[in-house]
Amino acid sequence: MNDSAYNRVLTASRALKELADRPLKFMEVCGTHTVSIYRSGLRTLFPSNVSLVSGPGCPVCVTAQDEIDTVVRLAGMEKVAIATYGDMIRVPGSSLSLAQARALGASIHVVLSAAGALDLARRLPDMTVIFAGVGFETTAPATAAVVLEANRYGQDNFLVLNFHKTVPVVLETLAMDPALALDGFLLPGHVSTILGLSPYAPLAAEYGLACVVAGFEPEQIMAGLVLLALQNREGHFSVQSAYPQAVRPEGNKRAKALLEAVFEPADAKWRGLGLLPGSGLKFRPPYSHFDARIRLGLVDFPAPEPAGCRCGDVLTGRIHPSECPLFGCPCTPEEPVGPCMVSSEGSCAAVYRYGRSEFR
Amino acid sequence: MCLAIPHTLIAITGPKTAIGRAGTVEVEVRTDLIDTPAMGDHVLVHAGFAIERLLPDEAAEVEALWESIRAHSVTASHE
Amino acid sequence: MTIDGYTVHPLSFPGGNIGKLAVCGTVNDLACRGAKPLYIALGVLAEEGFDEREFLGYLTDASTVCHRLGIRIVTGDTKVLPRGELDRLVLTTCGLGKTLPGRDLGISNLRPGDDLVLTGPVGLHGATIAALRYGLKSEGLASDCAPLWELVKKILPFPGLRAIRDCTRGGLATVLCEWAEGSRLGIEVDESSILVPDTVSSVCDLLGFDPFSLACEGCLIIGVAPGETEALLENLASSEEGRFASRIGSIIPAHPGWVSLLTRSGGRRVLDMPAGEILPRIC
């Protein structure tokens, strides 16, 4: 960070002190925000009446237990290779994680991009390559692009285990939760790059919540918080962007068109929140032969979340990670019980790694 | 929820591919999601795909944002 | 005496290869105890069909380092395993060195107020290997793999020298956490004083890695009595491996067992031990 970024953090920190004239509780929706806030020690620069709770914006964390089990089960099949993002590898399933399955001989490949998963299918023509696609609206367009490509070239050994989820519905669910009593959402920067600002409009208009999109650098997060405090002070709630560098009000039309072409809204199961109507994506019929669930006739076996694990409550801001009885013992980043401790952007891992004895 | 890193496109290698440079690293970038990618474009890349063109930090929109924040910060420091 | 096994994928990388790594690693383990490395025993496990010329190339690089430092490879053993039972090549080196009488450089010497000096940039080895593994082309990125005995030899006469450790697997973060835990003292580090080369931070940004958790193979952390820090830094700066040495923090009585980091944005956070395999992430 250059000097001016450092100064901007200080400037914003002063403005936040000035504007927060009563206790304010915001939710940072996005796990990347959570990590950036802890890694930069930003909390130590907040006024004491501003608090942040972490939200459901870690795609690995909100992936349901039975979804994790499904991918682990597929990994154990003959002539199957799993391709997925590194984020998924250490998430504990009911019996095994992908890392443990790999140690037992399963073919599991970390890819940096959905395009890498399709490349793998081309390189392994005798295998069925299953791409476990996690992620929100930022990540799903890449899956859509790759499926279009696989369709064009008839790459039949490429399948997608689709865990993609969408953000606006889940925020409305949280906005309605009286126990949370939020004063606003710090909205995810890169999801908003794709979506633009309008999908969040009901949060401000109907629920009277301040809504500000923010980038991920410390000074960008501080800017977002200042605008949230300002909306509360003025009592005028709207959806604003504090991240003009990467977010156009209308979003990325091309990416949205691609999503629309390949996917349709579907119900999705979230850890800690259960089945939320319209909060996921499923393939439209012309592409459903890429859906691993359909092609392989998979049924999801309902799987309970790990006993005692309160990832669900952490993901919805109901408890602070340290309030989970498993936090720190036995659940640690070395031996995680739930996904919030394993994912590098999980709020439990962030608190464990960066915030345990918060140097206030 | 989504790491995305600024890249500069240094070569257009196909209808949907380019080489992007991020710091000292050069890497293949998919350009399916942006209109008319061109050499020299500053783009934000998430999971190997360019998801948007970036405005520089000096852009008027960014300056205006910080101008308004500074205004509140100045009041604070005078009190 | 010390022993360590070496596997690395790929076997050869900018700045070194498994042969050089196996000797440097053992030399550095000895050096950190203040021991002059004298003898090395080398164990080789190779997969059947491993290219002989490639193998000899690695041995040549290993012996070049030994020759330069006057170390003798006194004994060795080679086993060839059937194809598929081993991934290409594993080296084990056992090193024997001689310490100066009365010179102990363990963690228990650390005292509140001691300064912490880092001799070089962090993360070069880990970033080099990660870039190769994930197909990133990174101009100018090379492992820092180097023998550090000569650097240690220069500073051994400092009476205020408390402890030395090379940052290998787990990087700077791991050593600092081990020192805080082992000494039951606190550690305070200033992020802006730690040199992270652009080549390392570029790879870290792309893969979502923390540079403080990435392996180094040519970088020491030194605990030194505060009065001698300046002289120590001057001494280090005159050598190739120590020319980027800087004071990065100090040992403090507060928060025993913990490392706190003053971040570039002016906040404070815990610097924790990295957990498990470092994987690239998109989130």
Side-chain angles (χ1 to χ4, degrees):
Chain A
M1 188 188 309
N2 57 33
D3 254 333
S4 93
Y6 177 82
N7 287 335
R8 280 178 167 180
V9 169
L10 289 183
T11 303
S13 162
R14 278 201 298 269
L16 191 58
K17 274 196 186 82
E18 160 75 6
L19 291 168
D21 50 4
R22 63 181 175 87
L24 291 172
K25 181 179 174 188
F26 303 127
M27 173 177 277
E28 95 271 8
V29 173
C30 175
T32 311
H33 276 147
T34 307
V35 170
S36 184
I37 289 163
Y38 276 103
R39 263 177 88 156
S40 56
L42 223 48
R43 260 165 219 275
T44 55
L45 304 174
F46 294 169
S48 56
N49 58 353
V50 171
S51 63
L52 272 181
V53 294
S54 301
C58 158
V60 167
C61 305
V62 297
T63 301
Q65 191 71 31
D66 48 5
E67 293 179 324
I68 304 284
D69 289 351
T70 301
V71 60
V72 172
R73 196 166 77 239
L74 291 179
M77 286 169 50
E78 289 282 308
K79 297 229 161 234
V80 162
I82 302 288
T84 192
Y85 300 119
D87 313 55
M88 286 285 282
I89 299 295
R90 294 182 63 237
V91 179
S94 297
S95 56
L96 295 175
S97 66
L98 285 174
Q100 290 162 328
R102 186 177 55 186
L104 295 173
S107 174
I108 291 163
H109 302 257
V110 173
V111 293
L112 303 180
S113 157
L118 183 56
D119 282 344
L120 189 69
R122 292 189 181 114
R123 279 187 282 125
L124 302 175
D126 300 333
M127 305 276 276
T128 300
V129 172
I130 302 176
F131 175 53
V134 290
F136 297 105
E137 289 92 333
T138 327
T139 321
T143 306
V146 165
V147 162
L148 282 182
E149 191 176 326
N151 193 47
R152 183 164 347 111
Y153 294 102
Q155 194 72 40
D156 284 337
N157 68 329
F158 178 71
L159 298 180
V160 177
L161 199 48
N162 175 8
F163 297 149
H164 290 302
K165 293 181 171 54
T166 54
V167 170
V169 168
V170 72
L171 296 187
E172 280 196 52
T173 311
L174 295 172
M176 284 187 280
D177 188 340
L180 273 175
L182 294 175
D183 296 298
F185 284 113
L186 189 72
L187 293 167
H190 297 146
V191 163
S192 307
T193 297
I194 304 295
L195 285 182
L197 303 180
S198 60
Y200 308 113
L203 299 171
E206 289 170 30
Y207 300 97
L209 288 170
C211 291
V212 177
V213 174
F216 298 91
E217 296 299 327
E219 74 277 15
Q220 295 170 338
I221 293 172
M222 291 302 285
L225 292 173
V226 170
L227 296 190
L228 283 171
L230 188 60
Q231 286 192 24
N232 274 281
R233 167 118 138 195
E234 293 178 346
H236 177 75
F237 301 109
S238 63
V239 184
Q240 280 181 291
S241 167
Y243 192 24
Q245 293 94 329
V247 177
R248 311 287 110 85
E250 69 282 8
N252 179 334
K253 287 182 186 162
R254 217 180 152 92
K256 282 198 284 191
L258 209 58
L259 280 179
E260 180 68 25
V262 174
F263 294 111
E264 56 188 309
D267 301 347
K269 204 184 283 176
W270 295 61
R271 188 181 296 260
L273 287 158
L275 197 71
L276 296 181
S279 69
L281 297 169
K282 71 172 184 188
F283 286 113
R284 290 189 184 276
Y287 307 104
S288 56
H289 58 291
F290 288 106
D291 187 329
R293 284 194 182 90
I294 293 175
R295 269 273 285 285
L296 304 175
L298 297 180
V299 273
D300 284 346
F301 297 106
E305 287 162 17
C309 171
R310 296 191 62 189
C311 277
D313 290 326
V314 170
L315 288 165
T316 48
R318 292 188 195 110
I319 64 168
H320 185 262
S322 62
E323 292 173 68
C324 173
L326 306 186
F327 182 81
C329 175
C331 187
T332 64
E334 292 276 350
E335 302 215 9
V337 176
C340 298
M341 187 58 94
V342 63
S343 169
S344 43
E345 62 162 357
S347 32
C348 295
V351 173
Y352 191 90
R353 292 202 59 187
Y354 303 128
R356 269 177 294 174
S357 53
E358 303 196 358
F359 296 99
R360 283 186 184 277
Chain B
M1 108 188 356
C2 314
L3 285 179
I5 307 298
H7 287 57
T8 304
L9 300 185
I10 56 168
I12 304 297
T13 50
K16 292 176 179 174
T17 53
I19 302 294
R21 174 174 261 276
T24 63
V25 176
E26 285 174 22
V27 65
E28 174 151 299
V29 171
R30 289 280 296 251
T31 52
D32 311 37
L33 308 180
I34 55 170
D35 290 320
T36 58
M39 237 170 85
D41 282 356
H42 294 286
V43 296
L44 195 59
V45 175
H46 166 70
F49 282 72
I51 58 168
E52 188 56 274
R53 280 196 179 74
L54 275 172
L55 293 184
D57 266 346
E58 303 76 46
E61 292 89 333
V62 184
E63 286 299 335
L65 169 72
W66 281 98
E67 205 43 58
S68 70
I69 291 171
R70 230 169 272 131
H72 293 287
S73 168
V74 168
T75 344
S77 57
H78 283 300
E79 274 173 8
Chain C
M1 187 152 92
T2 177
I3 185 165
D4 213 344
Y6 296 86
T7 64
V8 61
H9 300 275
L11 293 170
S12 183
F13 44 84
N17 56 50
I18 190 170
K20 183 179 177 191
L21 189 67
V23 168
C24 292
T26 288
V27 165
N28 295 347
D29 283 348
L30 291 169
C32 289
R33 303 306 301 268
K36 175 181 165 55
L38 297 172
Y39 306 107
I40 278 181
L42 175 69
V44 178
L45 295 178
E47 188 183 16
E48 195 175 19
F50 191 86
D51 185 78
E52 192 181 329
R53 196 174 305 168
E54 185 182 347
F55 176 61
L56 290 175
Y58 299 149
L59 282 197
T60 307
D61 281 11
S63 61
T64 303
V65 176
C66 291
H67 188 74
R68 207 180 98 199
L69 297 173
I71 301 166
R72 290 175 58 200
I73 300 184
V74 286
T75 181
D77 178 56
T78 303
K79 292 278 182 291
V80 177
L81 279 81
R83 190 167 269 269
E85 289 189 11
L86 178 83
D87 192 5
R88 305 198 67 206
L89 187 66
V90 176
L91 299 184
T92 302
T93 48
C94 175
L96 189 67
K98 191 173 186 317
T99 50
L100 294 173
R103 204 74 182 106
D104 167 33
L105 296 172
I107 301 176
S108 57
N109 297 320
L110 295 169
R111 298 283 173 270
D114 286 352
D115 278 330
L116 296 175
V117 166
L118 183 71
T119 61
V122 294
L124 284 166
H125 182 73
T128 302
I129 299 299
L132 287 170
R133 206 170 282 173
Y134 294 105
L136 305 180
K137 204 173 114 195
S138 181
E139 209 180 303
L141 177 63
S143 168
D144 55 348
C145 176
L148 298 170
W149 161 244
E150 281 168 342
L151 190 67
V152 170
K153 193 168 77 177
K154 275 162 60 79
I155 58 171
L156 274 180
F158 280 83
L161 186 67
R162 308 276 206 224
I164 305 181
R165 180 75 71 76
D166 57 335
C167 316
T168 54
R169 183 172 298 194
L172 174 67
T174 299
V175 176
L176 291 176
C177 288
E178 284 175 4
W179 277 19
E181 269 172 42
S183 67
R184 293 166 199 270
L185 293 165
I187 290 180
E188 198 172 48
V189 180
D190 181 355
E191 185 172 24
S192 60
S193 67
I194 301 167
L195 180 59
V196 182
D198 288 347
T199 49
V200 172
S201 56
S202 297
V203 169
C204 284
D205 285 348
L206 273 167
L207 298 177
F209 291 172
D210 177 358
F212 301 153
S213 301
L214 286 183
C216 314
E217 291 292 344
C219 181
L220 300 172
I221 299 177
I222 300 166
V224 61
E228 295 182 24
T229 311
E230 285 311 315
L232 183 89
L233 284 171
E234 226 166 85
N235 187 301
L236 289 168
S238 63
S239 66
E240 169 73 16
E241 284 86 11
R243 65 193 194 283
F244 294 114
S246 66
R247 179 188 171 278
I248 61 162
S250 55
I251 305 282
I252 56 172
H255 57 77
W258 293 84
V259 182
S260 78
L261 185 80
L262 178 63
T263 69
R264 284 170 195 272
S265 357
R268 256 177 210 290
R269 67 156 165 106
V270 174
L271 184 70
D272 196 19
M273 191 92 85
E277 179 188 1
I278 301 179
L279 290 161
R281 56 197 180 91
I282 61 154
C283 291

